[in-house]
Structure formats: C-alpha cells, structure tokens
Amino acid sequence: MLQTSTLQFLKQLAKNNNKEWFDANRKKYEAAKEDFTASLQAILSGFSTIDTTLVSLAPKDCLFRINRDIRFSKDKSPYKTNFGAYINAGGKKSNTGGYYLHLQPGNSFVGGGIYQPDADMLKKVRQEIDYNFDEFKSIINNKKFKTVYTKGISSDSEWSLTRPPKGYDENNPAIEFIKLKSVVATAPLSDEQLTDKKFEATVIKAFEALYPLIIFLNKAVQG
C-alpha cells in the first residue's frame, strides 16, 4: 500500500507548485517517489506472471518525470501534481497498447489501452475492430472487464470522431468503436484504496481484466 505521506506531499505540491517550495521539500518528494516506486515494483512483479512480456521491466522504465514540459503550455506550473506510470513492454515512451496507473489525490485511476496512436496504427486498430468485431465485443462484454471498467471503453468527445472515418459506413455495427481516436478504459481509485493493504492487488486485478484488450490491440498494430 502507499503511505499517507505520499498523498500529503502531492496535495501540498498542488498548493505550492513552484521551484522554491519544491527545492525546500525535495526530501519529501524523494520519499514519495520511492514509496510509489516500491508499489510499482510490487505490481510489476505480480502482474508480469500474467502478461509475461513485462518480465524485464523495472519501475524506472515506466515512471514519468514529475517535471512538466511547459514550452508550449499557457500553464507554466513547473511540476505535475501526480505520479504516473505507463506499463508497456516497449517502455513508457511506446505508443502501443499498455497499462496506466495515475496517482493524484481525489483523481486517481487505473486503466490502459492505446492512447492517441499515429495514423497508421489507428488505421490498423480500426480495421481489426471491423474485421473481428465479435471478438472485440466478447472482450469488452466479459464479466471481469465490466466489473472493473463499469463505463466500458471511453467514448466521449475527447476520444471520438463526430463522423465515421473515411472508408466506413455509419451503419457499420462497430462504428461506435471505429470512430474512436484512442481505445482506452479507466477505473477510478479512491484515496482510501491507495492506502489500503490491498492496493497492489487491486491494480493487478484491474490490469488482468484489461489484458485481453491489450493483446487484441497489439495484435492489430504489431501483426
């Protein structure tokens, strides 16, 4: 489980997002990062027995930097107010399907899928959904998947086109999913879950429910 001090650090950072405060509290940051890294290692060790493509991963391969890239942003806050990790056999910079853990007090979640793939990858994913829609439906309608990801695949305006992509008809049975720009599912994590002794087991269970979808997506993009 995570320590309450880790959540407290992130709450304080959200209120004091500046270099002077961060430098003065660097030891707290290092302790919080170490705490999150330890949980991430436990999750990797447990889940890599299920998704064996992850056996060689270390937390450093998955953990995102806390520094924000502010070059093209109106928000010049120098730090993220969360810890995030993308678990993928190709590492955190890979844009193939994988698993994500987001730690942010009051807004934590677990999930994954394929996020904003390039045009070629997205074309392959759409084709796979179209050609193998029965298999796709069986994955997202599986009881284990639906128990964790109660809202199913994210389909709001951020994730979806308003019109069918070129080459697809509005009446295609799979069109709701073919219109997606990202194929992602997420489930919220409460602050109480984060500091519960079952935290790592909860995340592993969520990743396990997502595993068939990741196989499906990566089969599409990797062949």
Side-chain angles (χ1 to χ4, degrees):
M1 62 181 181
L2 293 165
Q3 301 300 309
T4 55
S5 57
T6 297
L7 274 65
Q8 279 300 117
F9 169 77
L10 290 173
K11 288 178 181 178
Q12 291 168 3
L13 177 58
K15 295 177 180 178
N16 303 277
N17 200 330
N18 60 78
K19 188 176 186 303
E20 292 74 21
W21 184 89
F22 193 88
D23 287 344
N25 290 271
R26 186 168 291 277
K27 287 186 178 180
K28 290 183 180 179
Y29 160 66
E30 291 172 351
K33 181 182 177 183
E34 183 177 341
D35 184 38
F36 184 66
T37 299
S39 279
L40 187 55
Q41 179 60 69
I43 291 163
L44 285 170
S45 297
F47 185 58
S48 62
T49 62
I50 298 166
D51 187 340
T52 56
T53 66
L54 309 174
V55 291
S56 62
L57 280 183
K60 65 180 178 62
D61 301 319
C62 311
L63 186 61
F64 289 112
R65 296 172 70 245
I66 200 164
N67 300 78
R68 294 181 64 246
D69 183 352
I70 60 174
R71 291 173 298 171
F72 309 108
S73 175
K74 292 181 180 179
D75 179 4
K76 299 302 180 182
S77 302
Y79 306 105
K80 299 170 187 173
T81 55
N82 66 80
F83 286 123
Y86 187 51
I87 299 171
N88 183 298
K92 60 192 172 190
K93 294 184 179 180
S94 174
N95 61 351
T96 57
Y99 314 86
Y100 183 67
L101 177 61
H102 185 92
L103 173 61
Q104 184 176 11
N107 195 33
S108 300
F109 62 91
V110 62
I114 190 163
Y115 179 70
Q116 294 185 345
D118 62 37
D120 183 57
M121 280 188 173
L122 184 55
K123 182 179 179 180
K124 291 177 180 178
V125 168
R126 285 171 171 162
Q127 180 175 286
E128 190 75 14
I129 292 173
D130 185 26
Y131 288 0
N132 297 291
F133 190 44
D134 286 344
E135 180 185 354
F136 183 78
K137 284 192 297 183
S138 72
I139 291 169
I140 63 173
N141 289 326
N142 180 272
K143 183 178 179 181
K144 185 181 291 187
F145 181 89
K146 293 180 73 174
T147 298
V148 176
Y149 303 101
T150 56
K151 295 184 178 180
I153 301 295
S154 300
S155 59
D156 60 26
S157 58
E158 178 186 355
W159 307 103
S160 183
L161 298 172
T162 55
R163 298 174 61 84
K166 185 178 180 180
Y168 291 97
D169 187 87
E170 184 69 56
N171 296 317
N172 188 309
I175 198 63
E176 173 188 355
F177 303 101
I178 291 170
K179 285 198 270 185
L180 294 175
K181 296 179 286 185
S182 297
V183 182
V184 171
T186 63
L189 292 169
S190 68
D191 290 358
E192 290 74 21
Q193 285 178 297
L194 299 177
T195 55
D196 187 273
K197 291 181 180 179
K198 296 179 181 178
F199 168 62
E200 287 87 0
T202 297
V203 175
I204 291 170
K205 180 181 177 183
F207 286 167
E208 185 177 359
L210 198 66
Y211 179 47
L213 179 63
I214 302 303
I215 293 175
F216 180 92
L217 294 172
N218 285 339
K219 178 177 67 176
V221 299
Q222 296 173 339

